[in-house]
Amino acid sequence: MPKNSKVTQREHSGEHVTESVADLLALEEPVDYKQSVLNVAGEAGSKQKVVEEELDAEDRPAWNSKLQYILAQIGFSVGLGNIWRFPYLCQKNGGGAYLVPYLVLLIIIGIPLFFLELAVGQRIRRGSIGVWHYVCPRLGGIGFSSCIVCLFVGLYYNVIIGWSIFYFFQSFQYPLPWSECPVIRNGTVAVVEPECEKSSATTYFWYREALDISDSISESGGLNWKMTLCLLVAWSIVGMAVVKGIQSSGKVMYFSSLFPYVVLACFLVRGLLLRGAVDGILHMFTPKLDKMLDPQVWREAATQVFFALGLGFGGVIAFSSYNKQDNNCHFDAALVSFINFFTSVLATLVVFAVLGFKANIMNEKCVVENAEKILGYLNTNVLSRDLIPPHVNFSHLTTKDYMEMYNVIMTVKEDHFPALGLDPCLLEDELDKSVQGTGLAFIAFTEAMTHFPASPFWSVMFFLMLINLGLGSMIGTMAGITTPIIDTFKVPKEMFTVGCCVFAFFVGLLFVQRSGNYFVTMFDDYSATLPLTVIVILENIAVAWIYGTKKFMQELTEMLGFRPYRFYFYMWKFVSPLCMAVLTTASIIQLGVSPPGYSAWIKEEAAERYLYFPNWAMALLITLIVVATLPIPVVFILRHFHLLSDGSNTLSVSYKKGRMMKDISNLEENDETRFILSKVPSEAPSPMPTHRSYLGPGSSSPLENSGNPNGRYGSGYLLAGTPESEL
């Protein structure tokens, strides 16, 4: 090393020093290559490998075990949507028939793109911003858009965790507070709350006691202090889980990822023992084949695949970036995708078993109420007793007997039958009642649990499961925000993470107003779906068409030690982009054909009414979509016209504690010919793919020289593992 170099002057200080290549070359002196870390002799290759591994281990955090990493990916991908969105879509879109488009799209879009995100994160060892800046600098805005979408999702997702926390603490009482309608006493007169009487006890508790909801999104109504406190608790839990990065969140995952499966197994066993559970399960698996040809079903299935696997959020990339480079991410992609699908089916079985039980309870209640109407008509001679079959016993009236009596009355009194106000009380009608999203968890399921023996116990378990499912997804969502920002801008990890949580809490107050549930609908159903679709399709294009599918497959071969199936080549290159382009077009058309709206709870009517968003809300929604996608064209334009540097002409050589390290995270192809990388990925972890290896005149492929640890010429730099090395 030159004596007058800044590095020589400060190499014992332990400080980080950066000099340009030009400065180093101007001060260059003859080097003893055998003693230097920059080694051109093959004899020191094994020593250099050890040093590289030590640097990589100390520079970037890593998972404590493969199990911890798998649990983290499962915790992120398996979330609240598996519990209520997937069963709802099954119920809405033809039962078992919905599984066909979902499985097809999971195979041709979900697993290939999930594998792609795992691979680029593990290979480049950066968050989403760094990964897409490296793959294609002009599309570097993809990473920023992912961060924004994660922020949008995290804002409302933690509100749902807050709702679960509220119900969790309300469950520690018997009877459950939503099991009966409240009674209003006025002196000696006791009257059931009218809003509750018109709807149901669980519906009233959800809309009035929990949310205290307003009649429309335009009526703010002020903050709901109970939900504000629950939101504060939710962000405090998330903050403590992620403040130390994977060192803290990895430990949380052991419980938050495994506990929901214990609860689901318990609920499945309990649900199968309930009367009517088989009816619910058979209803779910009975396919309505006409639904399979409905384009809307395929669009919803594709959207569910994106959300289920966490594609485009950046959390998958962030988690995989902490892996060793020889990790078999192909196996991880298949395993996590299978577990995700299995969890969705398991949750659907549980939900339909419980809803089958609830449907039988409601059907019996319908029979009793209508039988009382018939008895009243018989006593007032509106109906003749000759219409009642002789074997019918009103004291023990079965559903079959009621249907026989109902059909006779309908036939004889055909002209006046509507005036009688009798209901058919069909079990299928109860099972067909679709309850979407939060309504499934906080209304339908809670109502079913009120009929369970020891109902508080099951309620506590259920909402604790929801909290843990939400926490696992929030950890991945926060990683999608913090990891790329910390990697790129070198901000202090703990301070930035706490700042994100505090900022998100205050912005999240929007969702704990009395009208907050309507904003949750806006963010959940509209603001993230279209940007995510755009992000995922651009990720695919960036790798398959710009970076090059063949090059990417070769690098995967070097990293994994085997060549991935050619199936992935065709999926990445042709099938997935085409399918996603169709999906994006369909989503845009859907927004144009069906104006966005929400289900408002009208207090006077004690019923839901679908309302369209007002103009100001539509402006807000469009702004959210634009803000989420804006970084992509902005970064593209700035780098296309060279208004923003992509780092290709700013190569620096860094030194730390006397060791020589080269930072090439921003190199382009024209800069590759000046530098030599030594290790193939299978031998030493590196943040950069080996396609940047220099192949000089007469040299051959790195694969052909893999036996020489330092390539043909046996020379190379030690790599500075990651931007997190300075944290």
Side-chain angles (χ1 to χ4, degrees):
M1 185 63 61
K3 294 181 181 179
N4 54 348
S5 168
K6 299 178 198 175
V7 177
T8 306
Q9 298 168 8
R10 298 166 61 183
E11 66 177 334
H12 298 294
S13 65
E15 298 182 26
H16 185 85
V17 183
T18 300
E19 289 187 314
S20 68
V21 174
D23 291 340
L24 287 174
L25 293 177
L27 299 172
E28 187 176 15
E29 293 180 0
V31 180
D32 183 356
Y33 293 106
K34 292 185 178 181
Q35 301 300 323
S36 172
V37 177
L38 178 59
N39 190 352
V40 293
E43 60 192 57
S46 60
K47 182 177 180 180
Q48 182 177 347
K49 176 181 176 182
V50 173
V51 175
E52 285 187 9
E53 291 177 345
E54 290 176 354
L55 278 173
D56 185 75
E58 72 174 340
D59 285 342
R60 189 170 186 82
W63 299 103
N64 291 336
S65 65
K66 179 66 174 280
L67 175 62
Q68 189 182 72
Y69 164 68
I70 293 295
L71 290 178
Q73 290 286 15
I74 292 172
F76 175 50
S77 64
V78 176
L80 298 173
N82 297 77
I83 301 299
W84 60 48
R85 181 172 174 81
F86 188 90
Y88 161 72
L89 291 174
C90 277
Q91 186 180 28
K92 175 188 174 186
N93 296 320
Y98 173 74
L99 298 179
V100 175
Y102 184 84
L103 271 175
V104 170
L105 293 172
L106 179 66
I107 292 172
I108 67 174
I109 294 180
I111 295 178
L113 295 183
F114 189 60
F115 179 32
L116 184 147
E117 289 199 359
L118 290 178
V120 296
Q122 178 175 311
R123 183 66 163 170
I124 302 173
R125 309 205 75 207
R126 297 290 192 276
S128 57
I129 295 177
V131 160
W132 301 116
H133 170 75
Y134 171 78
V135 172
C136 178
R138 291 183 181 179
L139 290 181
I142 295 175
F144 291 98
S145 288
S146 293
C147 291
I148 295 173
V149 170
C150 279
L151 175 62
F152 288 170
V153 172
L155 287 175
Y156 76 82
Y157 205 88
N158 224 22
V159 174
I160 300 175
I161 297 179
W163 295 343
S164 303
I165 292 172
F166 174 77
Y167 268 80
F168 172 75
F169 284 109
Q170 291 291 320
S171 299
F172 288 95
Q173 48 187 308
Y174 184 82
L176 291 170
W178 51 82
S179 60
E180 296 178 354
C181 285
V183 176
I184 302 174
R185 296 190 179 277
N186 185 8
T188 58
V189 180
V191 181
V192 176
E193 169 63 47
E195 185 181 3
C196 184
E197 189 175 23
K198 292 178 184 177
S199 54
S200 68
T202 51
T203 304
Y204 173 82
F205 187 87
W206 166 241
Y207 283 118
R208 192 55 52 210
E209 296 293 337
L211 300 181
D212 193 19
I213 200 165
S214 61
D215 286 353
S216 73
I217 194 172
S218 300
E219 302 174 25
S220 169
L223 291 177
N224 181 338
W225 68 268
K226 292 179 290 188
M227 288 306 168
T228 301
L229 183 60
C230 291
L231 180 63
L232 178 61
V233 173
W235 275 114
S236 299
I237 294 173
V238 171
M240 289 186 290
V242 301
V243 68
K244 295 291 185 181
I246 63 171
Q247 283 81 3
S248 57
S249 62
K251 296 178 176 64
V252 174
M253 287 296 184
Y254 284 110
F255 181 78
S256 65
S257 297
L258 294 175
F259 178 74
Y261 289 96
V262 176
V263 177
L264 282 176
C266 293
F267 266 99
L268 180 62
V269 174
R270 184 69 187 91
L272 292 175
L273 297 176
L274 294 172
R275 177 170 48 88
V278 176
D279 295 328
I281 293 175
L282 288 177
H283 179 78
M284 189 272 284
F285 279 110
T286 302
K288 299 176 182 177
L289 300 180
D290 59 309
K291 290 285 189 178
M292 292 174 55
L293 303 178
D294 188 351
Q296 177 69 10
V297 174
W298 287 81
R299 188 184 71 84
E300 291 186 345
T303 302
Q304 177 62 17
V305 168
F306 285 172
F307 277 94
L309 294 177
L311 299 177
F313 285 95
V316 172
I317 294 175
F319 281 159
S320 64
S321 71
Y322 298 111
N323 266 331
K324 295 180 180 179
Q325 285 216 338
D326 58 355
N327 175 64
N328 188 351
C329 57
H330 176 262
F331 171 79
D332 300 343
L335 177 64
V336 174
S337 299
F338 169 77
I339 292 176
N340 187 288
F341 177 70
F342 168 77
T343 306
S344 297
V345 174
L346 176 62
T348 303
L349 286 173
V350 172
V351 167
F352 275 88
V354 173
L355 291 183
F357 167 69
K358 173 181 173 288
N360 273 267
I361 296 292
M362 300 305 295
N363 192 58
E364 291 175 359
K365 183 180 178 181
C366 176
V367 169
V368 171
E369 291 175 351
N370 283 271
E372 291 178 353
K373 289 182 182 180
I374 293 175
L375 280 174
Y377 294 143
L378 292 174
N379 293 332
T380 57
N381 296 321
V382 174
L383 294 176
S384 171
R385 292 187 179 273
D386 295 336
L387 298 177
I388 309 302
H391 65 275
V392 171
N393 182 355
F394 279 91
S395 299
H396 300 88
L397 189 63
T398 64
T399 303
K400 182 180 179 181
D401 291 340
Y402 172 77
M403 282 304 303
E404 183 179 353
M405 187 168 54
Y406 175 87
N407 290 330
V408 171
I409 296 173
M410 184 174 61
T411 302
V412 175
K413 295 287 185 179
E414 182 176 358
D415 295 337
H416 307 286
F417 183 78
L420 298 177
L422 297 178
D423 298 316
C425 297
L426 296 175
L427 183 63
E428 289 75 13
D429 291 343
E430 289 292 337
L431 291 170
D432 282 334
K433 289 181 180 178
S434 298
V435 183
Q436 182 177 8
T438 54
L440 180 62
F442 296 103
I443 298 177
F445 214 88
T446 52
E447 183 175 352
M449 287 189 295
T450 59
H451 301 287
F452 284 13
S455 55
F457 167 78
W458 293 103
S459 184
V460 167
M461 293 286 284
F462 177 71
F463 289 108
L464 185 58
M465 176 188 70
L466 292 187
I467 292 170
N468 279 277
L469 283 171
L471 179 60
S473 296
M474 274 302 300
I475 289 174
T477 302
M478 289 297 294
I481 301 173
T482 58
T483 298
I485 298 297
I486 291 171
D487 282 354
T488 304
F489 300 104
K490 313 289 183 67
V491 296
K493 183 189 302 180
E494 291 82 0
M495 185 181 301
F496 178 71
T497 302
V498 172
C500 280
C501 292
V502 173
F503 171 78
F505 166 73
F506 283 107
V507 176
L509 295 178
L510 173 71
F511 303 98
V512 291
Q513 304 175 93
R514 292 182 58 201
S515 60
N517 187 47
Y518 306 138
F519 287 96
V520 171
T521 301
M522 177 190 293
F523 275 68
D524 187 23
D525 292 348
Y526 301 105
S527 69
T529 303
L530 185 58
L532 269 181
T533 308
V534 173
I535 288 170
V536 174
I537 192 172
L538 288 178
E539 287 181 353
N540 199 166
I541 291 173
V543 172
W545 289 92
I546 299 177
Y547 191 79
T549 310
K550 290 184 179 179
K551 184 195 300 184
F552 187 59
M553 289 288 283
Q554 178 182 349
E555 292 174 358
L556 285 180
T557 302
E558 298 170 4
M559 183 173 72
L560 300 175
F562 63 89
R563 187 173 185 82
Y565 298 117
R566 197 157 185 82
F567 162 81
Y568 292 106
F569 178 90
Y570 294 110
M571 292 300 105
W572 289 331
K573 190 79 172 178
F574 305 109
V575 179
S576 294
L578 178 62
C579 291
M580 288 185 295
V582 172
L583 174 62
T584 304
T585 305
S587 299
I588 295 173
I589 294 175
Q590 180 69 20
L591 285 176
V593 173
S594 301
Y598 61 100
S599 294
W601 179 257
I602 310 301
K603 182 177 181 179
E604 297 299 325
E605 301 173 5
E608 289 184 340
R609 184 194 301 170
Y610 190 82
L611 301 177
Y612 294 114
F613 285 118
N615 292 335
W616 65 266
M618 281 299 300
L620 175 61
L621 175 58
I622 293 172
T623 301
L624 292 173
I625 295 175
V626 170
V627 167
T629 54
L630 190 61
I632 298 173
V634 167
V635 172
F636 181 88
I637 292 171
L638 291 177
R639 285 184 171 153
H640 181 76
F641 293 101
H642 306 291
L643 300 175
L644 178 66
S645 172
D646 59 10
S648 60
N649 296 319
T650 56
L651 181 70
S652 65
V653 178
S654 302
Y655 297 88
K656 182 178 179 183
K657 298 180 182 178
R659 292 171 176 169
M660 189 173 189
M661 303 178 290
K662 178 168 71 80
D663 182 4
I664 62 169
S665 60
N666 295 324
L667 279 178
E668 285 189 337
E669 297 295 334
N670 293 336
D671 302 298
E672 297 170 3
T673 56
R674 293 183 294 165
F675 299 95
I676 302 171
L677 297 181
S678 60
K679 298 292 182 180
V680 295
S682 60
E683 295 178 332
S686 165
M688 297 297 115
T690 56
H691 81 279
R692 297 193 178 277
S693 299
Y694 171 72
L695 301 179
S699 62
S700 58
S701 167
L703 291 175
E704 297 172 2
N705 293 293
S706 58
N708 186 344
N710 285 320
R712 180 180 179 111
Y713 298 105
S715 63
Y717 289 106
L718 292 180
L719 300 182
T722 68
E724 283 200 21
S725 61
E726 306 308 321
L727 299 182

